[in-house]
Amino acid sequence: MAGTLADDIRQKLGELSPAERKVARVLLSAYPSSGFETIAIIAERAAVSAPTVLRFVARLGYHGFPDFQAALRAELDERRASPLALYEATEVNAGDDSASALLARSGQLFSSAVTQTLAETPAADLESAITLIADPKRRITLSGGRFTHLLAQYLGLHLMQLRDDVHFLPERAVERTAALAQLTRRDVVIIFDYRRYEDDKLSIAQLTQEHGGKVIVFTDTWLSPTSAHAHVALPSQVSTPSPYDSLVPTLAVIETVIAGVITRLGEEAHRHMRHSEDTARRVGLL
C-alpha cells in the first residue's frame, strides 16, 4: 500500500528549503484539512509567499495545487471507507477461493504490511513513545475504539506488569468524566483510532493537550484527526485479505514498544514483574 501525502511530506522534509519546510509544517499540523485551504491562506499561516506554496507542491510531484488537492480528496475517500464500502468495492470472492490460496495471499499481505510498517516508523518517534511510557513519574491512560479497545487492553495489561500507574479510560460516563477532569502535565494518554475515526478520541486528545499532558496515537496511514494533538503518532498499514482493516501490523508495533519499555526500565521492570507474580500467587491467581 502506498503511503499517504503526510508520509510523503515527512520523507521530503530534509530536501526542502527553509521556506518550504514552513509550508510542510503548516500542512502537517492540521492534516488533512489544512490541505484544502486556499494557497493564500496556507501562505499566510506559513509566513511565506504564494509561489513558495506552489514550489512546495511541485516538489511533491504535482503539476499544480488542484492536482495536489485532487490527490488529497482521493486519499480521504479511502480514509472514510467502511468495511461495507470496501466489500462492495472489491471482488472478495474473485479468483481461487481455496484455503491454500487464501493462506498464500494472507501470508504475502501480512508479511508485507508488517515489514512496511516497521520500516516506515521513524526511530525518533518510537524512542519518544518509549521514553514517555517508561517514565515512572508519568500516569498512563489507554483508550481504544470499537475493535481497537482489544489492542489498548493488550498494551495496558503488559505495561501493568512492568510499571505502576497504568489505567484504562473508564466506559461509564461519570467515571470517564472524572478521569478526564483530572488530567495534568504528568499524564500520557495512549489512544487507538483507525479510519471511521471516533469523535470522542479527538476530544480526549484535545483535552489532554490543553492540560499539558502528552498524547500517543496508534493509527492507520491516513492518520486519525487526533494526530494533530499528539506528541507521537505511530501509523500502521492495514492491508488485509478481507474488507476489515488488519490490526496485525499495529500489534507488531505494540510488541516493539513493549520490548523497548522493558529495556528502558531494566531491573525495575524485572522487580515489578517478580512482585506482580508473587502477589498473584499469594491470592491464587497463578
Side-chain angles (χ1 to χ4, degrees), residues 103-218:
L103 285 170
R105 191 161 67 251
S106 294
Q108 182 178 13
L109 276 172
F110 291 136
S111 296
S112 176
V114 169
T115 299
Q116 186 174 353
T117 293
L118 295 177
E120 293 178 349
T121 299
D125 290 348
L126 180 66
E127 175 72 18
S128 293
I130 291 170
T131 297
L132 286 172
I133 294 171
D135 185 347
K137 296 178 182 177
R138 298 278 189 176
R139 175 171 56 191
I140 308 295
T141 303
L142 300 100
S143 177
R146 288 179 294 272
F147 290 95
T148 56
H149 70 278
L150 298 171
L151 294 181
Q153 290 176 346
Y154 184 79
L155 175 57
L157 292 174
H158 277 79
L159 295 179
M160 286 177 182
Q161 297 181 63
L162 303 175
R163 52 156 296 162
D164 295 323
D165 222 358
V166 177
H167 313 271
F168 297 110
L169 192 64
E171 290 298 321
R172 288 188 292 196
V174 173
E175 294 174 339
R176 175 171 285 220
T177 300
L180 293 173
Q182 295 171 23
L183 291 171
T184 68
R185 294 175 62 85
R186 79 181 186 95
D187 282 287
V188 174
V189 177
I190 302 174
I191 295 173
F192 291 79
D193 196 31
Y194 290 70
R195 63 178 169 181
R196 291 227 284 179
Y197 311 105
E198 299 176 24
D199 291 341
D200 70 311
K201 301 302 180 293
L202 177 58
S203 299
I204 291 166
Q206 290 171 327
L207 274 172
T208 305
Q209 188 180 50
E210 288 169 9
H211 286 84
K214 302 293 186 183
V215 177
I216 298 173
V217 176
F218 287 82

Side-chain angles (χ1 to χ4, degrees), residues 161-162 262 268-278:
Q161 297 181 63
L162 303 175
I262 291 173
E268 179 58 25
H270 184 209
R271 184 201 65 75
H272 202 283
M273 292 171 70
R274 184 183 297 279
H275 180 63
S276 295
E277 288 209 8
D278 289 345

Side-chain angles (χ1 to χ4, degrees), residues 29-144:
S29 67
Y31 185 85
S33 59
S34 54
F36 292 108
E37 300 284 8
T38 65
I39 294 174
I41 289 176
I42 294 173
E44 181 181 355
R45 289 181 177 171
V48 299
S49 66
T52 298
V53 177
L54 293 175
R55 284 196 299 272
F56 168 79
V57 167
R59 287 265 203 170
L60 296 180
Y62 297 99
H63 298 300
F65 201 66
D67 189 26
F68 169 78
Q69 290 189 323
L72 190 55
R73 286 190 194 92
E75 182 180 301
L76 281 181
D77 287 341
E78 289 188 88
R79 198 175 193 249
R80 298 186 182 116
S82 68
L84 177 60
L86 292 172
Y87 182 92
E88 293 173 345
T90 57
E91 297 182 29
V92 177
N93 297 315
D96 189 348
D97 61 355
S98 67
S100 58
L102 177 59
L103 285 170
R105 191 161 67 251
S106 294
Q108 182 178 13
L109 276 172
F110 291 136
S111 296
S112 176
V114 169
T115 299
Q116 186 174 353
T117 293
L118 295 177
E120 293 178 349
T121 299
D125 290 348
L126 180 66
E127 175 72 18
S128 293
I130 291 170
T131 297
L132 286 172
I133 294 171
D135 185 347
K137 296 178 182 177
R138 298 278 189 176
R139 175 171 56 191
I140 308 295
T141 303
L142 300 100
S143 177

